[in-house]
Amino acid sequence: MNDSRVWNRGRVLLMFILLLTATSCGFLSKAPEGSGTPVPVRSSEPQQTPVPTAEDPLKEMMADMTIEQKIGQLVISGVDGVQMDEHARELIDTYRVGGFILFKPNIASAGQTVTFLNSLKTVNAEAGGKIPLFLSVDEEGGRVSRMPDSFADVPAMQVVGKTKDNRMAADVGNVLAKEISALGFNLNYAPVLDINSNPDNPVIGNRSYGTTPELVGNMGVETMKGLASQKIIPVVKHFPGHGDTSVDSHIGLPVVNYDLERLRSFELAPFAQAFKSGADAAMVAHILLPKLDKTYPASLSPAVVSGLLRKEMNFGGVIFTDDLTMGAIMKNYGIGEAAVQSVMAGTDVVLVCHEYGNTIQVIEALREAVRNGKLSENRIDESVYRVLKLKYKYTLSDTETKTPDVQKLNTEIRQTLDKYKR
């Protein structure tokens, strides 16, 4: 059966499956209220790898996919320029990538961005794969913003955290979601759940809600829910915590020398709260934790990804790497080697944010790893299933987005934020 027909026909059935999964995993439970004790990290129930059933439309879809198409779903790529080009087209037509990420140089205006994303959707719809793309962006508010200059500003999360008002955190999540969905994006690498515990940290700072696990966990969960309420996929980051580092992982490899006892009581607590509150996706950082794994940074580490995140913390959602073109990886590994190691460790999606050649290297390395038996197709299938399930849950599609009324959107954003001005 044509996979586009399966995609559309299976929505109702999969929604039922997702509802059962959410109920059994506690995804529908309410987030802890107040600023009480951090949520314990340990889980009494083992992590369950998703197993498609005979009635599952995703199993039918996967059965019709080639291994090359499956591998493509595990890669999100950056693009060059501000419009569709031959490289972006080839990544869709030939390599069937699972999605794209745009940065500020790719976003010149609201109209241009909508046109760009619509062109990616159109090419994907015409390519025959018919699995909608992840169209992703880092839109945190404050200094990490990719929105056109014509959009109203959203404050840094440190400003939100200082209010200690969970309602503002939720409203900010809604505002961020409305901004990016207006342009056609469907996934946001936010909120930041790092605790700003090191004043010398060169990369987190005011991107964090604050200096305590309780504040970061409470407000981060509310922002996460605000994003999800507008059908934007939130990706909580940077697991297992980038707050107490003195090296920027964009440049080098940070080292965190804490043991599990410390991590459980502090860095991991906001993530534990988010997972208990139904987080669907998490990004793993390029930081080395020698007391957990002396060899590999967290993003490539079986001990961190499969051991800590999957098994101990019982996280069943989609696991993304941070960008593999960052200095922490590129200065220490070949990018193809890093991608293979990350998937072997248990990661579902690798981000390759810069340079077409890097994306091709990653895809070819993953293909070769399957050919030579280093990666099994069963291992690939586990991740593809999670990816398709997430795309289904958030009803991703290749339907074109209309150019937004920026003035109307800005009015709504400012009115929302003005409620919290002191």
Side-chain angles (χ1 to χ4, degrees), residues 19 66 92 113 116 120 142 249 251 289-290 294 299 302 327 395 398 405 416:
L19 179 61
T66 66
I92 297 171
T113 306
F116 193 178
L120 295 172
S249 53
I251 300 170
L289 297 101
K294 295 180 180 179
S299 54
T395 61
D398 286 323
D405 181 335
T416 300

Side-chain angles (χ1 to χ4, degrees), residues 143-253:
R143 61 189 165 102
V144 180
S145 174
R146 319 301 189 197
M147 293 298 96
D149 293 338
S150 60
F151 275 33
D153 292 333
V154 177
M157 293 306 102
Q158 184 180 71
V159 174
V160 180
K162 285 180 178 178
T163 70
K164 296 184 170 60
D165 190 334
N166 287 351
R167 295 170 303 171
M168 183 178 185
D171 279 346
V172 164
N174 270 278
V175 162
L176 291 172
K178 287 176 180 177
E179 280 193 330
I180 68 176
S181 63
L183 298 178
F185 293 103
N186 53 39
L187 184 150
N188 191 15
Y189 302 107
V192 169
L193 297 186
D194 305 304
I195 303 165
N196 190 29
S197 56
N198 183 347
D200 295 325
N201 191 318
V203 67
I204 300 301
N206 67 1
R207 298 167 66 190
S208 170
Y209 294 96
T211 60
T212 68
E214 296 88 352
L215 179 63
V216 172
N218 290 338
M219 303 205 86
V221 163
E222 292 304 318
T223 301
M224 178 185 80
K225 289 181 176 180
L227 286 161
S229 71
Q230 301 295 322
K231 303 302 288 183
I232 294 295
I233 301 169
V235 182
V236 299
K237 63 184 185 184
H238 307 79
F239 185 89
H242 208 314
D244 195 0
T245 58
S246 54
V247 173
D248 183 347
S249 53
H250 293 86
I251 300 170
L253 180 61

Side-chain angles (χ1 to χ4, degrees), residues 417-422:
L417 297 176
D418 283 348
K419 294 188 299 183
Y420 302 98
K421 285 187 176 179
R422 296 290 187 252

Side-chain angles (χ1 to χ4, degrees), residues 61 64 74 76 88 97 104 144 169 173 203 258 275 297 299 317 417:
M61 180 177 290
D64 289 337
L74 308 190
I76 288 181
V97 292
K104 192 69 172 177
V144 180
V203 67
Y258 294 131
F275 299 159
S299 54
L417 297 176

Side-chain angles (χ1 to χ4, degrees), residues 279-291:
D280 288 306
M283 175 185 284
V284 181
H286 306 315
I287 55 177
L288 186 68
L289 297 101
K291 294 187 178 177

